[in-house]
Amino acid sequence: MKLWSRSSSSSGRYKAAAIAGASGLVAAGLIGLPAGMAHAATQCDVAYTTNQWPGGFTANITIRNLGDPINGWTLGFTFANSSQRVQQGWSATWTQTGSQVAAQNMSYNGSLATGASTSIGFNGEWSGSNPAPTSFTINGVSCNGGTNPTTPPPTSTPPPTTTPPPVGDRVDNPYVGARGYVNPEWKAKADAEPGGSRISNNPTGVWLDRIAAINGVNGGRGLRGHLDTALAQGAGYIQFVIYNLPGRDCAALASNGELGPTELPRYKTEYIDPIAAIMADPKYRNLRIINIIEIDSLPNLVTNVTPRPTATPMCDTMKANGNYVNGVGYALAKLGALPNTYNYIDAGHHGWIGWDDNFGASATLFAQAARASGSTVDNVHGFIANTANYGILKESYYTIDSTVNGTSVRQSKWVDWNRYVDEQSFALAFRQQLIAAGFNSNVGMLIDTGRNGWGGAARPTGPGPQTNVDTFVDGGRLDRRIHLGNWCNQSGAGIGERPTAAPAPGIDAYVWIKPPGESDGASREIPNDEGKGFDRMCDPTYPGNPRNNNNMSGALGDAPLSGHWFSAQFQELLRNAYPPL
Ligand code: BGC
């Protein structure tokens, strides 16, 4: 999925228009440069197209270099209407000052040979009117050679009818050029918190965490309700978490589920089949339906089984009976049979799968699951790292190759011989391992950045002292957890990168799958009918177990059951957001 850049703007327009369904192509500007203008070295052609809906729009921009080869570019343009704002961009670094917008190349798309083009884009907001910019510059030199851009039609013009994409026409990266579904139920909870509206318009995952969730629990929407609301929003993609395996959460207690270890038949007929039947409704054909498959399940079968010291009886059972592998295979096959679904398998995170013993073995097991129950690897669009976890996206002040007085940081207590220090480096390396294990070469990675910001006053501003590897790593690491294995309601965490499409080659998107503000687990025993147990990793007084090397849990106190709203955590996530809000 990494190939978000399109070879021709016409195919780009086709895809964008087709996927947007209800909106279509509403504005187009094409600016050519005549030969012989003053700045002969820089000649360019910029195509700017949008899909818009009330209040929002997606812009796709193709820059074509008609002059000498360019090494590094900045695109500039000015919005005509002061309400027009860039919200999230991709394939460039976007900044906006007043109405002036600049997009600077990423490291991988800065070189443009003569005649070469590159595509970038952004999601934006507007009110009143949303005209296309009338001129563009590259490196400060105008691309506007006098050709007037096509005047966009008035925004009240009904969108053109679009043809649904042909069956099987999956796009390479479902996040590019599409607006994400904003779950109104999560948004309402976020908006009810002071300052919550600063993040409440972001797409978050919808967790189908029990059979009853298909029809809706506690008065909330079911699967159809979310899909219908996504259509009403004009969303291009929607993200679901498929999370109800038999014997779920075998190494912990906080998210145990409703199905016992042998209930694979119920998983198939009462859970996956009805979900697939609803998603198959032709009215959802133009929505890109992203399914995140079974958090933590397969990684648990690698690391928390006999003879590891971290083994649990339930993980041993689920490995022996094959119901995780067969359940995942079944979900992949059923959901992957639909033309507009995108399956991403959960791949744990660097503080779990990043050790040599776990890395290759996990990729091998994932490939086995992808071929179980009649599935093939073609049903796997990609993988997700860091779901509901807190691993930092990128460390700033050390890498895995850093040394102190000749000693590798891998020998520090924090890194503890892991091969990775952050999620981005892990995700990119694991992608290669997965391809080597038999997955398609265009699989894409997602990283859950909802709660891995680690900003606020405690964030280091430089490397740690070079006394030894521990002072160096502990003084400079942005991830402030007590131990890398801590996972429940982590004290000090903040909102991370906002959802972003195609932030780097190989990464389809930064996403918020665990909705910020929803608890990871109760900090004490709370009776419930959701099958959830009490995991002491959610108790701030717990001194730990072998999975976190017997460290304190680092959890916030007074937490409700997993999935329930945790106002105090939400407030802290806002305070410690990084990038700051
Ligand atoms: C819980 C689910 C919940 C999800 C999202 C999981 O840990 O077990 O019930 O929907 O988190 O908050």
Side-chain angles (χ1 to χ4, degrees):
M1 223 0 300
K2 323 1 306 351
L3 305 174
W4 42 266
S5 71
R6 300 179 177 109
S7 54
S8 78
S9 60
S10 62
S11 77
R13 286 171 200 179
Y14 164 71
K15 283 186 185 173
I19 294 303
S23 47
L25 186 61
V26 297
L30 183 64
I31 293 106
L33 185 76
M37 69 165 287
H39 304 277
T42 302
Q43 297 189 351
C44 38
D45 168 296
V46 175
Y48 179 100
T49 62
T50 60
N51 291 301
Q52 74 179 40
W53 54 90
F57 68 110
T58 295
N60 290 299
I61 300 174
T62 301
I63 302 166
R64 187 177 301 278
N65 177 23
L66 302 176
D68 294 342
I70 297 176
N71 243 325
W73 47 261
T74 300
L75 170 76
F77 61 84
T78 304
F79 283 131
N81 181 324
S82 62
S83 73
Q84 291 170 297
R85 312 283 318 168
V86 173
Q87 286 175 313
Q88 301 157 6
W90 50 88
S91 308
T93 303
W94 291 86
T95 48
Q96 181 171 355
T97 312
S99 288
Q100 290 185 338
V101 179
Q104 196 186 359
N105 67 273
M106 309 292 272
S107 57
Y108 54 88
N109 61 5
S111 297
L112 289 178
T114 303
S117 61
T118 190
S119 295
I120 64 176
F122 64 90
N123 289 331
E125 61 183 18
W126 64 281
S127 62
S129 68
N130 187 31
T134 53
S135 63
F136 297 87
T137 58
I138 290 288
N139 296 339
V141 177
S142 178
C143 291
N144 188 344
T147 310
N148 287 324
T150 310
T151 308
T155 54
S156 57
T157 304
T161 315
T162 54
T163 323
V167 170
D169 185 26
R170 283 200 183 98
V171 294
D172 196 36
N173 183 345
Y175 289 87
V176 165
R179 190 166 62 122
Y181 168 61
V182 177
N183 180 350
E185 292 160 25
W186 175 78
K187 178 175 159 54
K189 288 181 201 147
D191 279 339
E193 299 282 349
S197 62
R198 288 175 295 170
I199 63 164
S200 64
N201 283 322
N202 282 293
T204 52
V206 174
W207 290 59
L208 300 173
D209 65 347
R210 63 201 99 151
I211 291 165
I214 300 170
N215 289 321
V217 288
N218 304 323
R221 287 168 178 75
L223 175 54
R224 268 191 189 284
H226 285 292
L227 288 164
D228 290 340
T229 308
L231 291 183
Q233 286 180 4
Y237 70 85
I238 183 168
Q239 307 167 108
F240 291 104
V241 181
I242 304 299
Y243 190 54
N244 200 32
L245 275 178
R248 191 177 75 188
D249 202 19
C250 67
L253 303 170
S255 283
N256 292 161
E258 63 189 345
L259 298 180
T262 61
E263 293 192 287
L264 183 63
R266 289 190 65 201
Y267 179 75
K268 293 180 177 177
T269 59
E270 295 177 44
Y271 182 69
I272 295 296
D273 291 354
I275 291 173
I278 293 169
M279 290 181 177
D281 188 324
K283 75 173 168 169
Y284 307 128
R285 181 58 58 88
N286 288 338
L287 263 178
R288 300 169 184 174
I289 301 176
I290 290 158
N291 290 314
I292 307 293
I293 307 292
E294 296 294 355
I295 311 307
D296 294 353
S297 58
L298 299 174
N300 269 325
L301 296 194
V302 174
T303 66
N304 294 320
V305 290
T306 303
R308 302 282 185 108
T310 51
T312 69
M314 184 60 100
C315 291
D316 278 342
T317 298
M318 298 319 298
K319 184 173 182 188
N321 70 18
N323 285 346
Y324 276 8
V325 165
N326 290 326
V328 167
Y330 190 80
L332 291 171
K334 269 274 169 177
L335 302 172
L338 308 177
N340 53 322
T341 52
Y342 297 81
N343 290 329
Y344 291 84
I345 297 180
D346 184 70
H349 50 84
H350 89 276
W352 186 359
I353 305 305
W355 281 276
D356 291 350
D357 287 354
N358 306 340
F359 197 73
S362 295
T364 303
L365 180 68
F366 294 2
Q368 188 193 331
R371 296 187 177 109
S373 306
S375 177
T376 72
V377 293
D378 291 340
N379 291 314
V380 180
H381 205 73
F383 297 82
I384 181 164
N386 204 43
T387 306
N389 208 269
Y390 296 86
I392 191 83
L393 184 65
K394 296 176 195 169
E395 286 289 359
S396 297
Y397 304 120
Y398 74 108
T399 74
I400 199 66
D401 298 319
S402 303
T403 57
V404 175
N405 306 326
T407 304
S408 164
V409 292
R410 293 188 67 219
Q411 298 194 43
S412 67
K413 287 198 183 68
W414 172 256
V415 180
D416 192 21
W417 297 104
N418 201 307
R419 278 287 164 202
Y420 305 93
V421 299
D422 51 30
E423 291 303 318
Q424 180 123 336
S425 62
F426 163 72
L428 291 173
F430 196 48
R431 177 171 178 271
Q432 295 304 328
Q433 184 75 28
L434 289 157
I435 293 167
F439 287 98
N440 294 330
S441 59
N442 63 346
V443 289
M445 305 302 287
L446 305 177
I447 302 176
D448 187 345
T449 57
R451 309 182 304 176
N452 69 350
W454 297 105
R459 184 180 175 92
T461 54
Q466 305 244 349
T467 318
N468 56 52
V469 279
D470 286 319
T471 59
F472 179 69
V473 169
D474 288 338
R477 63 181 161 91
L478 300 177
D479 186 332
R480 307 307 300 161
R481 281 179 290 181
I482 295 169
H483 187 271
L484 200 49
N486 288 353
W487 54 267
C488 195
N489 300 323
Q490 289 300 285
S491 173
I495 298 289
E497 287 287 339
R498 291 6 143 212
T500 308
I507 309 236
D508 282 357
Y510 298 149
V511 293
W512 290 3
I513 295 303
K514 174 77 182 184
E518 293 187 9
S519 172
D520 296 313
S523 41
R524 58 188 170 77
E525 187 100 50
I526 300 179
N528 66 88
D529 60 4
E530 299 176 32
K532 286 168 182 163
F534 166 45
D535 197 300
R536 288 208 64 204
M537 285 297 285
C538 304
D539 170 357
T541 69
Y542 182 52
N545 60 38
R547 280 180 293 282
N548 77 337
N549 208 14
N550 299 297
N551 279 277
M552 295 302 289
S553 72
L556 295 171
D558 294 324
L561 286 176
S562 65
H564 292 226
W565 193 254
F566 188 7
S567 173
Q569 186 191 28
F570 186 81
Q571 291 298 325
E572 184 172 85
L573 290 169
L574 293 184
R575 278 198 301 278
N576 291 341
Y578 199 93
L581 295 170

Short mmCIF file of all heavy atoms in Angstrom, two decimals, residues 30-38 42-46 66 134-137 141-149:
data_model
loop_
_atom_site.label_atom_id
_atom_site.label_comp_id
_atom_site.label_asym_id
_atom_site.label_seq_id
_atom_site.Cartn_x
_atom_site.Cartn_y
_atom_site.Cartn_z
N LEU A 30 -6.00 24.09 -13.50
CA LEU A 30 -4.86 23.54 -14.23
C LEU A 30 -4.06 24.71 -14.75
O LEU A 30 -4.56 25.53 -15.51
CB LEU A 30 -5.35 22.65 -15.37
CG LEU A 30 -4.26 21.96 -16.16
CD1 LEU A 30 -3.50 20.98 -15.27
CD2 LEU A 30 -4.86 21.22 -17.34
N ILE A 31 -2.85 24.82 -14.29
CA ILE A 31 -2.05 25.97 -14.65
C ILE A 31 -0.82 25.52 -15.41
O ILE A 31 -0.03 24.75 -14.88
CB ILE A 31 -1.63 26.76 -13.39
CG1 ILE A 31 -2.87 27.36 -12.75
CG2 ILE A 31 -0.68 27.88 -13.71
CD1 ILE A 31 -3.33 26.69 -11.53
N GLY A 32 -0.69 25.99 -16.61
CA GLY A 32 0.46 25.61 -17.40
C GLY A 32 1.44 26.77 -17.51
O GLY A 32 1.10 27.91 -17.23
N LEU A 33 2.65 26.49 -17.89
CA LEU A 33 3.65 27.54 -18.02
C LEU A 33 4.12 27.59 -19.45
O LEU A 33 4.59 26.60 -19.99
CB LEU A 33 4.84 27.22 -17.11
CG LEU A 33 5.90 28.30 -17.07
CD1 LEU A 33 5.43 29.45 -16.19
CD2 LEU A 33 7.19 27.74 -16.53
N PRO A 34 4.02 28.74 -20.11
CA PRO A 34 4.47 28.83 -21.48
C PRO A 34 5.99 28.78 -21.55
O PRO A 34 6.66 29.17 -20.61
CB PRO A 34 3.96 30.20 -21.93
CG PRO A 34 3.82 30.99 -20.69
CD PRO A 34 3.53 30.01 -19.59
N ALA A 35 6.49 28.30 -22.65
CA ALA A 35 7.94 28.26 -22.82
C ALA A 35 8.48 29.68 -22.84
O ALA A 35 7.78 30.62 -23.22
CB ALA A 35 8.27 27.56 -24.14
N GLY A 36 9.69 29.84 -22.39
CA GLY A 36 10.36 31.12 -22.53
C GLY A 36 10.02 32.14 -21.48
O GLY A 36 10.24 33.33 -21.66
N MET A 37 9.49 31.74 -20.36
CA MET A 37 9.23 32.74 -19.32
C MET A 37 10.52 33.05 -18.57
O MET A 37 11.54 32.40 -18.74
CB MET A 37 8.13 32.30 -18.39
CG MET A 37 8.48 31.14 -17.49
SD MET A 37 7.29 31.02 -16.16
CE MET A 37 7.77 32.40 -15.16
N ALA A 38 10.45 34.07 -17.72
CA ALA A 38 11.65 34.60 -17.10
C ALA A 38 12.46 33.54 -16.35
O ALA A 38 13.67 33.44 -16.52
CB ALA A 38 11.28 35.74 -16.16
N THR A 42 12.82 26.93 -13.66
CA THR A 42 11.68 26.32 -12.98
C THR A 42 10.44 26.51 -13.82
O THR A 42 9.98 27.63 -14.03
CB THR A 42 11.48 26.96 -11.59
OG1 THR A 42 12.66 26.80 -10.84
CG2 THR A 42 10.32 26.32 -10.86
N GLN A 43 9.92 25.42 -14.32
CA GLN A 43 8.68 25.46 -15.08
C GLN A 43 7.83 24.33 -14.56
O GLN A 43 8.30 23.21 -14.38
CB GLN A 43 8.95 25.27 -16.57
CG GLN A 43 9.81 26.39 -17.14
CD GLN A 43 9.89 26.32 -18.66
OE1 GLN A 43 9.45 25.34 -19.25
NE2 GLN A 43 10.43 27.34 -19.26
N CYS A 44 6.61 24.62 -14.32
CA CYS A 44 5.81 23.61 -13.65
C CYS A 44 4.35 23.71 -14.04
O CYS A 44 3.90 24.72 -14.58
CB CYS A 44 5.96 23.77 -12.14
SG CYS A 44 6.04 25.49 -11.60
N ASP A 45 3.67 22.67 -13.74
CA ASP A 45 2.25 22.56 -14.05
C ASP A 45 1.61 21.95 -12.80
O ASP A 45 2.11 20.95 -12.29
CB ASP A 45 2.13 21.65 -15.28
CG ASP A 45 0.72 21.21 -15.57
OD1 ASP A 45 0.11 20.50 -14.76
OD2 ASP A 45 0.26 21.54 -16.65
N VAL A 46 0.60 22.58 -12.30
CA VAL A 46 -0.03 22.10 -11.07
C VAL A 46 -1.50 21.83 -11.34
O VAL A 46 -2.21 22.71 -11.84
CB VAL A 46 0.12 23.13 -9.92
CG1 VAL A 46 -0.65 22.66 -8.69
CG2 VAL A 46 1.59 23.33 -9.58
N LEU A 66 8.20 20.79 -15.48
CA LEU A 66 8.41 20.97 -16.92
C LEU A 66 9.77 21.60 -17.22
O LEU A 66 10.10 21.84 -18.38
CB LEU A 66 7.30 21.86 -17.49
CG LEU A 66 5.88 21.35 -17.29
CD1 LEU A 66 4.86 22.35 -17.81
CD2 LEU A 66 5.70 20.00 -17.97
N THR A 134 -5.91 30.32 -7.46
CA THR A 134 -5.76 30.71 -8.86
C THR A 134 -4.32 30.68 -9.34
O THR A 134 -4.07 30.81 -10.54
CB THR A 134 -6.34 32.11 -9.10
OG1 THR A 134 -5.74 32.98 -8.16
CG2 THR A 134 -7.84 32.12 -8.93
N SER A 135 -3.37 30.59 -8.43
CA SER A 135 -1.98 30.50 -8.90
C SER A 135 -1.16 29.68 -7.91
O SER A 135 -1.51 29.58 -6.73
CB SER A 135 -1.38 31.88 -9.09
OG SER A 135 -1.34 32.54 -7.85
N PHE A 136 -0.09 29.11 -8.43
CA PHE A 136 0.77 28.26 -7.62
C PHE A 136 2.23 28.64 -7.89
O PHE A 136 2.56 29.10 -8.98
CB PHE A 136 0.58 26.78 -8.01
CG PHE A 136 -0.80 26.28 -7.74
CD1 PHE A 136 -1.81 26.44 -8.70
CD2 PHE A 136 -1.12 25.68 -6.54
CE1 PHE A 136 -3.09 25.99 -8.45
CE2 PHE A 136 -2.41 25.23 -6.28
CZ PHE A 136 -3.40 25.38 -7.23
N THR A 137 3.08 28.44 -6.87
CA THR A 137 4.51 28.64 -7.07
C THR A 137 5.24 27.36 -6.69
O THR A 137 4.77 26.59 -5.85
CB THR A 137 5.06 29.80 -6.21
OG1 THR A 137 4.79 29.49 -4.83
CG2 THR A 137 4.43 31.12 -6.57
N VAL A 141 8.84 30.46 -7.47
CA VAL A 141 8.69 30.87 -8.86
C VAL A 141 7.30 30.48 -9.34
O VAL A 141 6.85 29.35 -9.11
CB VAL A 141 9.77 30.20 -9.75
CG1 VAL A 141 9.55 30.57 -11.21
CG2 VAL A 141 11.14 30.61 -9.27
N SER A 142 6.63 31.41 -10.00
CA SER A 142 5.25 31.15 -10.38
C SER A 142 5.14 30.04 -11.42
O SER A 142 5.90 29.98 -12.38
CB SER A 142 4.64 32.43 -10.95
OG SER A 142 3.32 32.15 -11.36
N CYS A 143 4.17 29.19 -11.21
CA CYS A 143 3.83 28.18 -12.23
C CYS A 143 2.74 28.73 -13.12
O CYS A 143 2.28 28.06 -14.03
CB CYS A 143 3.31 26.91 -11.58
SG CYS A 143 4.52 25.98 -10.66
N ASN A 144 2.28 29.91 -12.80
CA ASN A 144 1.13 30.45 -13.50
C ASN A 144 1.57 31.18 -14.75
O ASN A 144 1.99 32.33 -14.70
CB ASN A 144 0.36 31.39 -12.56
CG ASN A 144 -0.95 31.82 -13.18
OD1 ASN A 144 -1.14 31.66 -14.37
ND2 ASN A 144 -1.82 32.35 -12.36
N GLY A 145 1.52 30.53 -15.85
CA GLY A 145 2.00 31.14 -17.08
C GLY A 145 0.94 31.91 -17.81
O GLY A 145 1.11 32.24 -18.98
N GLY A 146 -0.14 32.18 -17.18
CA GLY A 146 -1.15 32.99 -17.83
C GLY A 146 -2.40 32.22 -18.17
O GLY A 146 -3.43 32.80 -18.46
N THR A 147 -2.31 30.90 -18.10
CA THR A 147 -3.51 30.12 -18.34
C THR A 147 -4.44 30.28 -17.15
O THR A 147 -4.03 30.10 -16.02
CB THR A 147 -3.15 28.64 -18.50
OG1 THR A 147 -2.10 28.55 -19.42
CG2 THR A 147 -4.33 27.83 -18.95
N ASN A 148 -5.64 30.65 -17.38
CA ASN A 148 -6.54 30.82 -16.25
C ASN A 148 -7.02 29.46 -15.77
O ASN A 148 -7.33 28.58 -16.57
CB ASN A 148 -7.75 31.66 -16.64
CG ASN A 148 -7.36 33.11 -16.78
OD1 ASN A 148 -6.52 33.62 -16.03
ND2 ASN A 148 -7.94 33.78 -17.76
N PRO A 149 -7.08 29.28 -14.45
CA PRO A 149 -7.61 28.02 -13.96
C PRO A 149 -9.09 27.91 -14.29
O PRO A 149 -9.78 28.91 -14.44
CB PRO A 149 -7.42 28.12 -12.45
CG PRO A 149 -7.33 29.59 -12.17
CD PRO A 149 -6.74 30.22 -13.40
#
